[in-house]
Coordinates of all heavy atoms in Angstrom, one line a residue:
R1285 N 0.9 -1.2 0.0 CA -0.1 -0.1 0.0 C 0.8 1.3 0.0 O 1.8 1.2 0.7 CB -1.0 0.0 1.2 CG -2.0 -1.0 1.1 CD -2.8 -1.1 2.4 NE -3.2 0.2 2.9 CZ -4.0 0.2 4.0 NH1 -4.6 -0.9 4.6 NH2 -4.4 1.4 4.5
A1286 N 0.3 2.2 -0.8 CA 1.1 3.5 -0.9 C 1.3 4.2 0.4 O 2.3 4.7 0.8 CB 0.4 4.4 -1.9
Y1287 N 0.2 4.1 1.3 CA 0.3 4.8 2.7 C 1.4 4.3 3.4 O 2.2 4.9 4.1 CB -1.1 4.6 3.3 CG -0.9 5.3 4.7 CD1 -0.9 6.7 4.9 CD2 -0.9 4.3 5.9 CE1 -0.9 7.2 6.2 CE2 -0.9 4.8 7.2 CZ -0.8 6.2 7.3 OH -0.7 6.8 8.5
N1288 N 1.5 2.9 3.5 CA 2.6 2.2 4.3 C 4.0 2.6 3.8 O 4.9 2.9 4.6 CB 2.5 0.7 4.2 CG 1.2 0.2 5.0 OD1 0.8 0.9 6.0 ND2 0.8 -0.9 4.6
R1289 N 4.1 2.8 2.5 CA 5.5 3.2 1.9 C 5.6 4.6 2.3 O 6.8 5.0 2.5 CB 5.4 3.0 0.4 CG 5.4 1.5 0.0 CD 5.3 1.3 -1.5 NE 5.4 -0.1 -1.7 CZ 5.3 -0.6 -3.0 NH1 5.0 0.3 -3.9 NH2 5.3 -1.8 -3.2
M1290 N 4.7 5.4 2.2 CA 4.8 6.7 2.7 C 5.4 6.8 4.1 O 6.4 7.6 4.3 CB 3.5 7.5 2.7 CG 3.5 9.0 3.1 SD 2.0 9.8 3.0 CE 1.2 9.5 4.6
N1291 N 4.9 6.2 5.1 CA 5.4 6.1 6.4 C 6.8 5.6 6.5 O 7.7 6.2 7.2 CB 4.6 5.2 7.3 CG 3.3 5.9 7.7 OD1 3.2 7.2 7.7 ND2 2.2 5.2 7.9
I1292 N 7.2 4.6 5.8 CA 8.5 4.0 5.8 C 9.6 5.2 5.3 O 10.5 5.4 5.9 CB 8.6 2.8 4.9 CG1 7.9 1.6 5.5 CG2 10.1 2.4 4.6 CD1 7.6 0.4 4.7
H1293 N 9.2 5.7 4.1 CA 10.1 6.8 3.6 C 10.2 8.0 4.4 O 11.3 8.6 4.6 CB 9.7 7.1 2.1 CG 10.1 6.1 1.2 ND1 11.3 6.0 0.7 CD2 9.3 5.2 0.6 CE1 11.3 5.0 -0.3 NE2 10.1 4.5 -0.3
Y1294 N 9.1 8.3 5.1 CA 9.2 9.5 6.1 C 10.0 9.2 7.2 O 10.9 10.0 7.6 CB 7.8 9.7 6.6 CG 7.7 10.9 7.6 CD1 7.7 12.2 7.1 CD2 7.7 10.8 9.0 CE1 7.7 13.3 7.9 CE2 7.7 11.7 9.9 CZ 7.7 13.0 9.3 OH 7.7 14.2 10.2
K1295 N 10.0 8.0 7.8 CA 10.8 7.5 8.9 C 12.3 7.6 8.5 O 13.3 7.7 9.3 CB 10.4 6.2 9.5 CG 9.1 6.3 10.2 CD 8.6 4.9 10.7 CE 7.3 5.1 11.4 NZ 6.7 3.9 11.9
L1296 N 12.6 7.3 7.3 CA 14.0 7.2 6.7 C 14.5 8.6 6.3 O 15.7 8.8 5.8 CB 14.0 6.3 5.5 CG 13.8 4.8 5.9 CD1 13.7 4.0 4.5 CD2 15.0 4.3 6.7
G1297 N 13.6 9.5 6.4 CA 13.9 10.9 6.1 C 13.9 11.2 4.6 O 14.5 12.3 4.1
R1298 N 13.3 10.4 3.9 CA 13.1 10.6 2.4 C 11.8 11.3 2.1 O 10.9 10.7 1.6 CB 13.2 9.2 1.6 CG 14.5 8.5 1.9 CD 14.4 7.2 1.2 NE 15.8 6.4 1.5 CZ 15.9 5.2 1.4 NH1 14.8 4.4 1.0 NH2 16.9 4.5 1.6
L1299 N 11.8 12.6 2.3 CA 10.5 13.3 2.3 C 9.9 13.5 0.9 O 8.7 13.3 0.7 CB 10.7 14.8 3.0 CG 11.3 14.8 4.4 CD1 11.3 16.3 4.8 CD2 10.3 14.0 5.2
R1300 N 10.7 13.6 -0.1 CA 10.2 13.5 -1.4 C 9.4 12.4 -1.8 O 8.4 12.3 -2.3 CB 11.3 13.9 -2.4 CG 10.9 14.5 -3.8 CD 12.0 14.9 -4.7 NE 13.0 15.8 -3.8 CZ 14.2 16.0 -4.1 NH1 14.7 15.3 -5.2 NH2 14.9 16.7 -3.4
E1301 N 10.2 11.2 -1.5 CA 9.5 9.9 -1.9 C 8.3 9.7 -1.0 O 7.3 9.2 -1.6 CB 10.5 8.8 -1.6 CG 11.7 8.8 -2.6 CD 12.9 9.6 -2.1 OE1 12.8 10.4 -1.1 OE2 14.0 9.4 -2.7
S1302 N 8.3 10.1 0.2 CA 7.2 10.0 1.1 C 6.0 10.7 0.6 O 4.9 10.2 0.6 CB 7.6 10.4 2.5 OG 6.6 10.3 3.5
E1303 N 6.4 12.0 0.3 CA 5.2 12.8 -0.3 C 4.6 12.2 -1.6 O 3.4 12.1 -1.8 CB 5.7 14.2 -0.7 CG 4.6 15.1 -1.2 CD 5.1 16.4 -1.7 OE1 6.4 16.6 -2.0 OE2 4.4 17.4 -1.9
S1304 N 5.5 11.6 -2.5 CA 5.0 11.0 -3.7 C 4.0 9.8 -3.3 O 2.9 9.7 -3.9 CB 6.2 10.5 -4.5 OG 5.7 9.8 -5.6
F1305 N 4.3 9.0 -2.4 CA 3.4 7.8 -2.0 C 2.2 8.4 -1.3 O 1.2 7.7 -1.5 CB 4.3 7.0 -1.1 CG 5.2 6.0 -1.8 CD1 6.6 6.1 -1.7 CD2 4.6 5.1 -2.8 CE1 7.4 5.2 -2.4 CE2 5.6 4.2 -3.5 CZ 6.9 4.2 -3.3
G1306 N 2.3 9.4 -0.5 CA 1.1 10.0 0.0 C 0.1 10.4 -0.9 O -1.1 10.2 -0.9
L1307 N 0.6 11.2 -2.0 CA -0.3 11.7 -3.1 C -0.8 10.5 -3.9 O -2.0 10.5 -4.3 CB 0.5 12.6 -4.0 CG 1.0 14.0 -3.3 CD1 2.0 14.7 -4.2 CD2 -0.2 14.7 -2.9
E1308 N 0.1 9.4 -4.1 CA -0.5 8.2 -4.7 C -1.5 7.6 -4.1 O -2.5 7.1 -4.6 CB 0.7 7.2 -5.0 CG 0.3 5.9 -5.6 CD -0.1 6.0 -7.0 OE1 0.0 7.1 -7.6 OE2 -0.5 5.0 -7.6
A1309 N -1.5 7.6 -2.6 CA -2.5 7.0 -1.8 C -3.9 7.7 -2.0 O -4.9 7.1 -2.1 CB -2.1 6.9 -0.3
L1310 N -3.8 9.0 -2.0 CA -4.9 9.8 -2.3 C -5.5 9.6 -3.6 O -6.8 9.5 -3.9 CB -4.8 11.3 -2.0 CG -4.4 11.7 -0.5 CD1 -3.9 13.0 -0.6 CD2 -5.5 11.3 0.4
R1311 N -4.7 9.4 -4.7 CA -5.1 9.3 -6.0 C -5.8 7.9 -6.1 O -7.0 7.8 -6.7 CB -4.1 9.3 -7.1 CG -4.5 9.2 -8.4 CD -3.3 9.1 -9.4 NE -2.7 7.8 -9.2 CZ -3.2 6.6 -9.6 NH1 -4.3 6.6 -10.2 NH2 -2.5 5.5 -9.4
V1312 N -5.3 6.9 -5.6 CA -5.9 5.6 -5.6 C -7.2 5.6 -4.9 O -8.2 4.9 -5.3 CB -5.0 4.6 -5.0 CG1 -5.6 3.1 -4.8 CG2 -3.7 4.4 -5.9
A1313 N -7.2 6.2 -3.7 CA -8.6 6.3 -2.8 C -9.6 6.8 -3.8 O -10.8 6.4 -3.7 CB -8.4 7.1 -1.6
E1314 N -9.3 7.9 -4.4 CA -10.3 8.7 -5.2 C -10.6 7.8 -6.4 O -11.9 7.7 -6.9 CB -9.8 10.0 -5.7 CG -10.9 10.8 -6.4 CD -10.6 12.3 -6.6 OE1 -9.3 12.6 -6.7 OE2 -11.5 13.1 -6.7
E1315 N -9.7 7.1 -7.0 CA -9.9 6.4 -8.3 C -10.8 5.1 -7.9 O -11.7 4.8 -8.6 CB -8.6 5.8 -8.7 CG -8.7 5.1 -10.0 CD -7.3 4.8 -10.7 OE1 -6.5 5.8 -11.1 OE2 -7.0 3.6 -10.7
V1316 N -10.6 4.5 -6.8 CA -11.3 3.3 -6.4 C -12.7 3.6 -5.9 O -13.7 3.0 -6.2 CB -10.5 2.5 -5.3 CG1 -11.4 1.4 -4.8 CG2 -9.3 2.0 -6.0
G1317 N -12.7 4.7 -5.0 CA -14.1 4.9 -4.2 C -14.7 6.3 -4.7 O -15.8 6.6 -4.2
G1318 N -14.2 7.0 -5.8 CA -14.9 8.1 -6.2 C -14.5 9.4 -5.3 O -13.8 9.2 -4.4
P1319 N -15.1 10.5 -5.6 CA -14.7 11.7 -4.9 C -15.0 11.6 -3.4 O -14.2 12.1 -2.5 CB -15.5 12.8 -5.5 CG -15.9 12.3 -6.9 CD -15.9 10.8 -6.8
G1320 N -16.0 10.9 -2.9 CA -16.2 10.8 -1.5 C -15.2 9.9 -0.8 O -15.1 9.9 0.5
A1321 N -14.5 9.2 -1.4 CA -13.5 8.3 -0.8 C -12.4 9.1 -0.1 O -11.8 8.6 0.7 CB -12.8 7.3 -1.9
L1322 N -12.2 10.3 -0.5 CA -11.1 11.2 0.1 C -11.5 11.4 1.6 O -10.7 12.0 2.3 CB -10.8 12.4 -0.7 CG -10.2 12.1 -2.0 CD1 -9.9 13.3 -2.8 CD2 -8.9 11.2 -1.9
S1323 N -12.7 11.1 2.0 CA -13.1 11.3 3.5 C -12.9 10.1 4.3 O -13.2 10.1 5.4 CB -14.4 12.0 3.6 OG -15.3 11.1 3.0
L1324 N -12.5 9.0 3.6 CA -12.4 7.7 4.3 C -11.2 7.8 5.2 O -10.3 8.6 5.1 CB -12.2 6.5 3.3 CG -13.4 6.4 2.5 CD1 -13.2 5.3 1.5 CD2 -14.7 5.9 3.3
P1325 N -11.0 7.0 6.3 CA -10.1 6.9 7.2 C -8.7 6.9 6.6 O -7.7 7.7 7.1 CB -10.2 5.7 8.2 CG -11.8 5.5 8.1 CD -12.1 6.0 6.6
D1326 N -8.5 6.0 5.7 CA -7.1 5.9 5.0 C -6.7 7.2 4.3 O -5.5 7.5 4.4 CB -7.1 4.7 4.0 CG -7.2 3.4 4.7 OD1 -6.8 3.3 5.9 OD2 -7.3 2.4 3.9
A1327 N -7.7 7.8 3.6 CA -7.3 9.1 3.0 C -7.0 10.2 4.1 O -6.1 11.0 3.9 CB -8.4 9.6 2.2
G1328 N -7.7 10.2 5.2 CA -7.5 11.0 6.3 C -6.0 11.0 6.8 O -5.3 11.8 7.1
A1329 N -5.7 9.6 7.0 CA -4.3 9.4 7.5 C -3.2 9.8 6.4 O -2.3 10.3 6.9 CB -4.2 7.8 7.7
A1330 N -3.5 9.6 5.2 CA -2.6 10.1 4.1 C -2.4 11.7 4.1 O -1.3 12.2 4.1 CB -3.0 9.7 2.8
Y1331 N -3.6 12.3 4.5 CA -3.4 13.8 4.6 C -2.6 14.2 5.6 O -1.9 15.1 5.7 CB -4.8 14.4 4.6 CG -5.6 14.6 3.2 CD1 -6.6 14.0 3.0 CD2 -5.0 15.4 2.3 CE1 -7.4 14.2 1.8 CE2 -5.6 15.6 1.0 CZ -6.9 15.0 0.8 OH -7.4 15.3 -0.4
L1332 N -2.8 13.5 6.9 CA -2.1 13.8 8.1 C -0.6 13.5 7.9 O 0.2 14.2 8.5 CB -2.6 13.1 9.2 CG -4.1 13.5 9.6 CD1 -4.7 12.6 10.9 CD2 -4.2 14.9 9.9
G1333 N -0.3 12.4 7.2 CA 1.1 12.1 6.8 C 1.7 13.2 6.0 O 2.8 13.6 6.3
L1334 N 0.8 13.6 5.0 CA 1.4 14.8 4.2 C 1.6 16.0 5.0 O 2.7 16.7 4.9 CB 0.5 15.0 3.1 CG 0.5 13.9 1.9 CD1 -0.7 14.2 0.9 CD2 1.8 14.0 1.1
A1335 N 0.8 16.3 5.9 CA 0.9 17.5 6.8 C 2.3 17.3 7.6 O 3.0 18.4 7.7 CB -0.2 17.6 7.8
S1336 N 2.6 16.1 8.0 CA 3.8 16.0 8.8 C 4.9 16.3 7.8 O 6.0 17.0 8.4 CB 3.8 14.5 9.3 OG 2.9 14.3 10.3
I1337 N 5.0 15.9 6.7 CA 6.0 16.1 5.7 C 6.1 17.7 5.5 O 7.2 18.3 5.6 CB 5.8 15.5 4.4 CG1 5.9 14.0 4.5 CG2 6.7 15.9 3.3 CD1 5.2 13.2 3.4
Y1338 N 5.1 18.3 5.3 CA 5.1 19.8 5.0 C 5.5 20.5 6.2 O 6.2 21.6 6.2 CB 3.7 20.3 4.6 CG 3.2 19.6 3.3 CD1 1.9 19.2 3.1 CD2 4.2 19.2 2.2 CE1 1.5 18.6 1.9 CE2 3.8 18.6 1.1 CZ 2.4 18.2 1.0 OH 2.0 17.7 -0.2
I1339 N 5.2 20.0 7.5 CA 5.7 20.7 8.6 C 7.2 20.6 8.8 O 7.9 21.5 9.1 CB 4.9 20.2 9.9 CG1 3.5 20.6 9.9 CG2 5.7 20.5 11.2 CD1 2.6 19.9 11.0
T1340 N 7.7 19.3 8.5 CA 9.1 19.2 8.5 C 9.9 20.0 7.5 O 11.0 20.5 7.8 CB 9.4 17.6 8.2 OG1 8.7 16.8 9.1 CG2 10.9 17.3 8.2
R1341 N 9.3 20.3 6.5 CA 9.9 21.1 5.4 C 9.6 22.7 5.7 O 9.9 23.5 4.8 CB 9.2 20.9 4.0 CG 9.7 19.5 3.4 CD 9.1 19.5 2.0 NE 9.2 18.2 1.4 CZ 8.6 17.9 0.5 NH1 7.5 18.7 -0.2 NH2 8.7 16.6 -0.2
N1342 N 8.9 23.0 6.7 CA 8.5 24.3 7.0 C 7.5 25.0 6.0 O 7.7 26.1 5.7 CB 9.7 25.2 7.4 CG 9.3 26.4 8.1 OD1 8.4 26.5 9.0 ND2 10.0 27.5 7.9
E1343 N 6.7 24.2 5.4 CA 5.7 24.6 4.4 C 4.3 24.7 5.1 O 3.5 23.9 5.0 CB 5.6 23.7 3.2 CG 7.0 23.6 2.5 CD 6.9 22.6 1.3 OE1 5.7 22.1 0.9 OE2 8.0 22.2 0.9
Q1344 N 4.2 25.8 5.9 CA 3.1 25.9 6.8 C 1.8 25.9 6.2 O 0.8 25.3 6.6 CB 3.3 27.1 7.7 CG 4.6 26.9 8.6 CD 4.8 25.7 9.3 OE1 3.8 25.3 10.0 NE2 5.9 25.1 9.4
A1345 N 1.7 26.7 5.1 CA 0.3 26.8 4.4 C -0.1 25.4 3.8 O -1.3 25.0 4.1 CB 0.5 27.8 3.3
R1346 N 0.8 24.7 3.3 CA 0.4 23.3 2.8 C 0.2 22.4 3.9 O -0.8 21.6 3.8 CB 1.5 22.7 1.8 CG 1.8 23.5 0.7 CD 2.9 23.0 -0.2 NE 2.5 21.8 -0.9 CZ 3.3 20.9 -1.6 NH1 4.5 21.2 -1.7 NH2 2.8 19.9 -2.2
A1347 N 0.8 22.5 4.9 CA 0.5 21.7 6.1 C -0.9 21.9 6.7 O -1.5 20.9 6.9 CB 1.6 22.0 7.2
E1348 N -1.2 23.2 6.8 CA -2.5 23.6 7.3 C -3.6 23.1 6.4 O -4.5 22.5 6.8 CB -2.5 25.1 7.4 CG -3.9 25.5 8.1 CD -4.0 27.0 8.2 OE1 -2.9 27.6 8.4 OE2 -5.1 27.5 8.2
E1349 N -3.3 23.2 5.1 CA -4.4 22.6 4.2 C -4.6 21.1 4.2 O -5.6 20.6 4.3 CB -4.0 23.0 2.7 CG -5.0 22.6 1.6 CD -4.6 22.8 0.2 OE1 -3.6 23.7 0.1 OE2 -5.2 22.3 -0.7
A1350 N -3.5 20.5 4.4 CA -3.5 19.0 4.5 C -4.2 18.5 5.8 O -5.0 17.6 5.8 CB -2.0 18.4 4.3
L1351 N -3.9 19.3 6.8 CA -4.5 19.0 8.1 C -6.0 19.1 8.0 O -6.8 18.3 8.5 CB -3.9 19.9 9.2 CG -2.6 19.3 9.8 CD1 -2.0 20.4 10.7 CD2 -2.7 18.1 10.4
Q1352 N -6.4 20.2 7.4 CA -7.8 20.4 7.3 C -8.6 19.5 6.6 O -9.6 18.9 6.9 CB -8.1 21.8 6.7 CG -7.8 23.0 7.7 CD -7.9 24.4 7.0 OE1 -8.2 24.5 5.8 NE2 -7.8 25.4 7.8
R1353 N -7.9 19.0 5.4 CA -8.6 18.0 4.6 C -8.5 16.6 5.3 O -9.5 15.8 5.1 CB -7.8 17.9 3.3 CG -8.0 18.8 2.4 CD -7.4 18.8 1.1 NE -7.6 19.9 0.2 CZ -7.4 19.8 -1.1 NH1 -7.1 18.7 -1.7 NH2 -7.7 20.9 -1.8
G1354 N -7.4 16.3 6.1 CA -7.4 15.1 6.8 C -8.4 15.0 8.0 O -8.8 13.8 8.3
L1355 N -8.9 16.0 8.5 CA -9.8 16.0 9.6 C -11.2 16.0 9.2 O -12.1 16.1 10.0 CB -9.5 17.2 10.5 CG -8.2 17.1 11.3 CD1 -7.8 18.5 12.0 CD2 -8.0 15.9 12.0
R1356 N -11.5 16.0 7.9 CA -13.0 16.1 7.4 C -13.6 14.7 7.6 O -13.0 13.8 7.5 CB -12.9 16.5 5.9 CG -12.5 17.8 5.6 CD -12.8 18.1 4.2 NE -12.2 19.5 3.9 CZ -12.1 19.9 2.7 NH1 -12.2 19.2 1.6 NH2 -11.5 21.1 2.5

C-alpha cells in the first residue's frame, strides 16, 4: 500500500519519496471509491502524513491545508 510506503520513507527521512507515496494513496482512494473516498479513514491518514512532511519542510500553508482535509 502506498500509505505504508509513505510512512517508511518518512521515517527514513526521504521526504520527497514519502510525499509521492502519500499523493499516490490519495489518487488511488479517489480512483477506487470516487470523490467521496477522500473522506475515508485511510485518506485522512494520508493527509495527516502529508501534513507531517510539510511541517518538517516548514511549508506551513500546505501543512495547514493537508490537516484541514485530513480532519474532514
Side-chain angles (χ1 to χ4, degrees):
R1285 285 175 49 175
Y1287 175 73
N1288 291 334
R1289 291 180 180 172
M1290 179 178 89
N1291 283 331
I1292 291 168
H1293 284 281
Y1294 181 79
K1295 290 177 183 177
L1296 293 172
R1298 298 177 183 160
L1299 300 182
R1300 197 172 313 150
E1301 292 90 346
S1302 181
E1303 179 185 25
S1304 178
F1305 282 114
L1307 294 172
E1308 175 71 8
L1310 293 174
R1311 186 191 66 74
V1312 169
E1314 187 171 26
E1315 188 176 287
V1316 171
L1322 293 181
S1323 64
L1324 295 175
D1326 285 344
Y1331 277 122
L1332 296 178
L1334 287 170
S1336 295
I1337 293 165
Y1338 300 143
I1339 288 169
T1340 302
R1341 290 185 187 160
N1342 201 28
E1343 297 177 16
Q1344 300 306 315
R1346 291 180 81 185
E1348 185 177 332
E1349 181 181 346
L1351 283 171
Q1352 289 176 354
R1353 289 183 180 202
L1355 295 174
R1356 288 185 191 166

